[in-house]
Amino acid sequence: MAAADPSPSLFVRPLGAVEGNPTALKLILGGKLRELRSAAGLDPADVDVKLGFSRSKTSRIELGRHGCKPSDALALLELYGVEEEERVAEFMRLVAASRRPDWWRSFNDVLSDFFTPLVALEGAAATIRTYEPFYVPGLLQTPECTQAVIRSGPGRLLDHEIRRRVELRQQRQRQLDLPDAPRLWAVVDESVLMRSVGGEQVMRDQLHHLIAMMKRPRVTLQIAPLDVTASVGVGTGVSYLRFALGDLRDAVYIEHLTDSTFTQKPATVEQYRDMLDRLGACALTPKETGARLRASLEALG
């Protein structure tokens, strides 16, 4: 059996604030267990048999889809030859942290399954890059704008369901107020400014809010003129999560009408990163964007 990595830590670097995100920790721990298994020359099916796991349990743990119980973690580390007390203690501390409830679990009554991957991981990102062709990005919406956007969506929702979804979005936005908040870089289609979502007063307040948010050092907003989005060929909204940790792969989230695509496949992620790079290079600069927002505000009177 191959020996484990001799580095002082099992992980690429200290995880820092990510330790407060149980979903991210499950992915990181699963990825590390996959590396250790590979180094030990074992297949997932081999591990299932050796440890008496149910079929595919090892694969589910490695993909972050199955929380790792402390007893399972200890058994896996022993099987993979990780014996140093310091490393085992570090790993088990993170296992305990990964088993805490995520904050968004309290919104399960209104949180769609297809939206969960983005909500679960965006707070752990170093940078959130997003392009929106139809609405102001959710992380930059006022509560009134959020309510109008939700009401315009498919299906008929009860008032309390709308209120809960607004609260969920506000809770997501509060992550931008934290000391270790992700950097938000948003590109918005120019047509968004031409839609009066919720009426003139809602749009007026929303424009004021965008101008205020642009003053934050960790928020960048760019307006993409219509000819730019036509030439780049984006087609739909996308969110790209860039993680500073080598133990967690970057991800892309593309939302559709009734479902979404969430992937960490390197080839797909690279394609969308390239698209966002081209959009950012062709869009108005932040200074020009601020002027465009003020012009739109003046046009509303």
Side-chain angles (χ1 to χ4, degrees):
M1 183 179 297
D5 187 338
S7 62
S9 171
L10 286 174
F11 303 94
V12 174
R13 67 176 73 182
L15 302 183
V18 174
E19 293 191 23
N21 188 304
T23 297
L25 285 179
K26 288 183 179 71
L27 289 170
I28 291 171
L29 291 168
K32 181 53 62 177
L33 288 171
R34 181 171 57 249
E35 290 178 15
L36 292 170
R37 173 183 56 74
S38 179
L42 296 169
D43 292 327
D46 297 329
V47 177
D48 289 339
V49 172
K50 287 178 178 294
L51 297 183
F53 287 173
S54 59
R55 184 179 178 183
S56 301
K57 180 175 179 178
T58 298
S59 293
R60 294 196 301 273
I61 290 174
E62 292 180 357
L63 291 171
R65 297 173 182 170
H66 190 295
C68 192
K69 295 189 296 186
S71 58
D72 292 340
L74 287 171
L76 288 165
L77 292 177
E78 182 179 1
L79 180 63
Y80 299 153
V82 179
E83 300 175 348
E84 296 87 343
E85 291 185 5
E86 185 177 349
R87 293 194 203 174
V88 172
E90 174 193 37
F91 197 93
M92 296 308 297
R93 179 175 60 81
L94 295 179
V95 167
S98 75
R99 295 174 63 80
R100 295 195 300 260
D102 291 278
W103 67 264
W104 46 266
R105 295 287 184 187
S106 62
F107 289 93
N108 279 343
D109 56 324
V110 292
L111 183 58
S112 303
D113 289 341
F114 70 81
F115 194 40
T116 299
L118 177 65
V119 174
L121 285 174
E122 63 185 357
T127 301
I128 302 171
R129 299 181 65 179
T130 183
Y131 166 71
E132 259 297 343
F134 302 116
Y135 302 107
V136 170
L139 292 174
L140 295 174
Q141 290 175 4
T142 63
E144 294 76 19
C145 180
T146 297
Q147 185 177 111
V149 169
I150 292 171
R151 288 188 182 279
S152 70
R156 296 176 63 87
L157 299 175
L158 299 175
D159 286 345
H160 80 274
E161 293 175 312
I162 295 174
R163 183 177 65 254
R164 287 283 289 159
R165 293 190 182 198
V166 172
E167 291 172 355
L168 169 60
R169 192 154 301 178
Q170 288 181 289
Q171 187 63 39
R172 291 173 56 211
Q173 293 172 356
R174 291 189 186 103
Q175 296 178 106
L176 299 179
D177 297 328
L178 300 175
D180 53 359
R183 178 191 174 198
L184 176 62
W185 181 3
V187 178
V188 179
D189 192 284
E190 184 180 24
S191 63
V192 171
L193 302 181
M194 304 173 186
R195 299 188 183 95
S196 184
V197 177
E200 286 192 1
Q201 187 56 51
V202 171
M203 281 302 295
R204 189 178 293 109
D205 293 342
Q206 179 63 74
L207 290 170
H208 277 298
H209 181 65
L210 289 176
I211 293 170
M213 289 298 291
M214 288 186 68
K215 296 177 181 178
R216 294 193 178 195
R218 299 185 65 80
V219 174
T220 300
L221 177 63
Q222 293 179 266
I223 299 296
L226 299 179
D227 58 341
V228 168
T229 52
S231 62
V232 173
V234 182
T236 188
V238 58
S239 292
Y240 174 100
L241 304 182
R242 182 66 185 265
F243 299 102
L245 302 169
D247 294 302
L248 191 57
R249 293 182 296 167
D250 295 352
V252 167
Y253 172 88
I254 306 105
E255 187 171 337
H256 315 297
L257 181 62
T258 58
D259 60 8
S260 69
T261 300
F262 183 86
T263 181
Q264 291 178 292
K265 293 180 180 178
T268 303
V269 169
E270 184 177 353
Q271 286 181 323
Y272 278 96
R273 182 173 63 242
D274 177 67
M275 180 201 73
L276 289 169
D277 286 344
R278 288 186 288 129
L279 266 177
C282 298
L284 301 180
T285 65
K287 183 177 180 180
E288 293 169 337
T289 294
R292 180 70 173 83
L293 292 175
R294 288 188 289 273
S296 296
L297 193 54
E298 291 175 4
L300 289 175

